[in-house]
Amino acid sequence: AQSVTQLGSHVSVSEGALVLLRCNYSSSVPPYLFWYVQYPNQGLQLLLKYTTGATLVKGINGFEAEFKKSETSFHLTKPSAHMSDAAEYFCACSGGYQKVTFGIGTKLQVIP
Amino acid sequence: DGGITQSPKYLFRKEGQNVTLSCEQNLNHDAMYWYRQDPGQGLRLIYYSQIVNDFQKGDIAEGYSVSREKKESFPLTVTSAQKNPTAFYLCASTKGELLDEQYFGPGTRLTVT
């Protein structure tokens, strides 16, 4: 079985500040990890994904995430928040024959 | 442009009525999924289909039914047996592997009164 935990259902940052959204996973097999973004009343869009290889993954809109096996973490970061980053972010995990499991989401508020 | 379409965007029904949500994709993807999204609960899998004429129950299939007669179409029926049908419904697809990234439609917001 696999699971995904996103710490903090709501995160607020000032415009220009560092964005850090936390994700921890549990998987009995090597995981594939994803971050998706959702704007209000829209579907989800892939930000980035980790499958194998380089543990630091760069995505769209200046986001990146680092896979840390020892910490079972895949935290999402962005050096400088922009107002347009305000959205809900979902971490997801899949592996082996397991279908993807999503976290409960983190709503990011950007304060001007 | 390739993508997933869901219609309608907003849907209103009276309690006791069945309702069918449409999902169409022109990405030539093999696998399709239906999720339900409620505030604070993330995405929960209702049904998924990896090939035509075959589908499997997800975590919350009770009160829902699906069909997969064509590769590009995966309609979801919310039946009167679903106790709390009001929610945001998302359709997604992947090329075929369960490990692949998912492509999502814009969603349908269903309100049942």
Side-chain angles (χ1 to χ4, degrees):
Chain A
Q2 62 194 19
S3 65
V4 175
T5 302
Q6 290 185 242
L7 295 176
S9 59
H10 290 80
V11 170
S12 294
V13 300
S14 297
E15 190 175 15
L18 172 71
V19 176
L20 171 60
L21 304 182
R22 300 178 186 274
C23 173
N24 289 88
Y25 69 91
S26 172
S27 178
S28 58
V29 297
Y32 282 25
L33 296 162
F34 308 84
W35 275 101
Y36 290 87
V37 61
Q38 183 182 34
Y39 298 99
N41 291 312
Q42 294 185 27
L44 278 66
Q45 177 186 4
L46 182 72
L47 272 179
L48 49 80
K49 66 179 179 182
Y50 168 80
T51 54
T52 59
T55 56
L56 182 61
V57 181
K58 295 186 183 298
I60 62 172
N61 302 338
F63 284 94
E64 62 182 37
E66 186 171 11
F67 170 62
K68 292 187 176 181
K69 183 178 179 180
S70 61
E71 299 177 8
T72 60
S73 69
F74 191 57
H75 301 332
L76 182 70
T77 61
K78 182 174 180 178
S80 176
H82 191 272
M83 295 299 295
S84 61
D85 295 326
E88 190 160 17
Y89 293 81
F90 291 90
C91 182
C93 174
S94 61
Y97 293 102
Q98 298 284 331
K99 53 191 180 298
V100 66
T101 299
F102 287 87
I104 64 169
T106 298
K107 285 190 177 178
L108 176 66
Q109 180 187 21
V110 182
I111 303 167
Chain B
D1 285 339
I4 299 179
T5 57
Q6 291 186 244
S7 61
K9 181 69 173 175
Y10 298 94
L11 191 54
F12 299 88
R13 281 293 183 271
K14 294 291 187 184
E15 197 173 312
Q17 294 179 332
N18 291 356
V19 59
T20 297
L21 281 59
S22 168
C23 177
E24 303 277 333
Q25 55 99 357
N26 61 2
L27 299 166
N28 199 31
H29 284 177
D30 291 314
M32 298 185 73
Y33 309 77
W34 273 106
Y35 293 93
R36 171 182 172 137
Q37 185 176 18
D38 297 280
Q41 297 195 50
L43 275 67
R44 292 184 289 169
L45 182 65
I46 304 172
Y47 269 98
Y48 65 103
S49 168
Q50 293 182 266
I51 57 172
V52 174
N53 293 323
D54 188 47
F55 46 83
Q56 286 78 41
K57 292 181 179 179
D59 302 315
I60 56 164
E62 185 175 352
Y64 299 97
S65 66
V66 294
S67 63
R68 187 85 187 277
E69 297 177 0
K70 299 186 296 183
K71 186 176 183 178
E72 58 270 23
S73 179
F74 191 41
L76 173 74
T77 297
V78 184
T79 75
S80 57
Q82 169 51 233
K83 300 301 181 187
N84 297 296
T86 295
F88 190 52
Y89 291 87
L90 288 161
C91 180
S93 70
T94 60
K95 288 181 182 178
E97 296 292 328
L98 290 174
L99 304 180
D100 286 345
E101 66 192 75
Q102 302 207 342
Y103 293 76
F104 285 84
T108 292
R109 186 165 297 281
L110 173 65
T111 302
V112 177
T113 58

